[in-house]
Amino acid sequence: MAQLSDNIERFIKELMSEDCQIELRRNELAQHFGCAPSQINYVLATRFSIERGYVIDSRRGGGGYVRILQLRRRGDENLLCTLLDQVGNAIEEDAAHSIIGQLLDLDLITENEANLMVAATAKNALALPVNAKDVLRASVLRSMLTQVFRNLEGRAHT
């Protein structure tokens, strides 16, 4: 099973070698590898996660697709938009911290900045009822992400 997962991952990464975004049909990919669509889902969830530098967008059904976007270090104007979309109007603490970790891995922020961002989005920092914390966390994280990219843009012009 691991070998099949490795082969699926390698195949997808080869498709992405020239482009940071691809669109696939889950059923067609499953047919190509002679496996169940759930195996494709497993590979996407474990090997193409935000923590590993990817954003997955999918739509199920007859015309369904899986879109995989690889987050790039710099020069990808869509990266901020992608991250803001990922945050949405509410985000759980673990998901917010995963995004912050990705920014650190991409060297878009320093370790100190990451620690500050994690502290600002931690559940203990948000003194609100549980249902309001995710909304406030999303708002704070969106503001911080926007500022990170403003800082990067400023560095590029100096």
Side-chain angles (χ1 to χ4, degrees), residues 24-31 37-38 40-41 44 58-60 64-66:
L24 306 168
R25 298 210 181 271
R26 191 182 339 261
N27 288 339
E28 290 175 8
L29 199 55
Q31 278 183 324
S38 61
I40 304 301
N41 290 343
L44 293 173
S58 64
R59 190 177 78 202
R60 297 189 183 270
Y65 63 85
V66 175

Side-chain angles (χ1 to χ4, degrees), residues 100 103 109 113-122 141 144-145 148:
I100 295 165
L103 292 172
I109 59 174
E113 291 167 332
N115 290 336
L116 291 170
M117 291 172 79
V118 165
T121 57
L141 186 56
M144 288 189 290
L145 289 171
V148 164

